[in-house]
Amino acid sequence: IVLTGGDDHLWKTWGFPDGNILLTGEGHTDWLSGCCFRPSGTQLVTSSGDTTVRLWDLSRSGCILTLRGHSRAVRGCSWHSCGDFVASASADCTSKIWDVNSERCRYTLRGHKDSVNSIEFLPFSSTVVTSSADKTLSLWDVR
């Protein structure tokens, strides 16, 4: 299974080798910039130009949580390996760490001087790496 998101505001899961669409999710109001499966495989997270991050339940193809707090487009998202936290990177020069259980922003990471374009948790770690249009990479300890 492959997961994609695009300018049509939709995410899709595709089966291989046939290449058929298995699921489609709609709810964002602008392009999708990122999408990835929760480590358990039962949910996914998406980020969008509409400034939101959304969690989706694959069994229902429906949005179960919308995370709001960025003031500009969200450029990327990723799951922590434990599955309890989501990270987001935004054109508003910040990144956020979201606690999906409490449905709140746990931390806002400030320091980049331009759009934060990607974010990833290092595997089995409390360290996050971000990349920015300010031509820097930053490592963050989010404990």
Side-chain angles (χ1 to χ4, degrees), residues 19-30:
N20 52 323
I21 296 174
L22 303 174
L23 293 172
T24 300
E26 58 183 74
H28 281 291
T29 58
D30 209 337

Side-chain angles (χ1 to χ4, degrees), residues 63-118:
C63 178
I64 58 172
L65 179 60
T66 301
L67 300 169
R68 291 180 171 85
H70 286 293
S71 61
R72 296 187 60 202
V74 183
R75 310 285 289 166
C77 57
S78 67
W79 284 99
H80 185 274
S81 53
C82 73
D84 293 332
F85 301 98
V86 165
S88 60
S90 174
D92 66 9
C93 305
T94 70
S95 297
K96 294 186 180 286
I97 306 299
W98 304 91
D99 181 330
V100 298
N101 296 316
S102 68
E103 302 180 0
R104 296 177 343 147
C105 176
R106 173 78 65 94
Y107 304 108
T108 298
L109 309 176
R110 292 180 174 86
H112 285 295
K113 300 194 180 348
D114 205 341
S115 174
V116 185
N117 295 330
S118 67

Side-chain angles (χ1 to χ4, degrees), residues 27-31 47-54 70 72-74:
H28 281 291
T29 58
D30 209 337
W31 45 270
S47 54
S48 172
D50 66 11
T51 75
T52 67
V53 175
R54 291 181 184 244
H70 286 293
R72 296 187 60 202
V74 183

Side-chain angles (χ1 to χ4, degrees), residues 117-134:
N117 295 330
S118 67
I119 189 164
E120 289 292 331
F121 283 99
L122 296 175
F124 308 102
S125 164
S126 61
T127 302
V128 173
V129 62
T130 55
S131 67
S132 172
D134 67 14

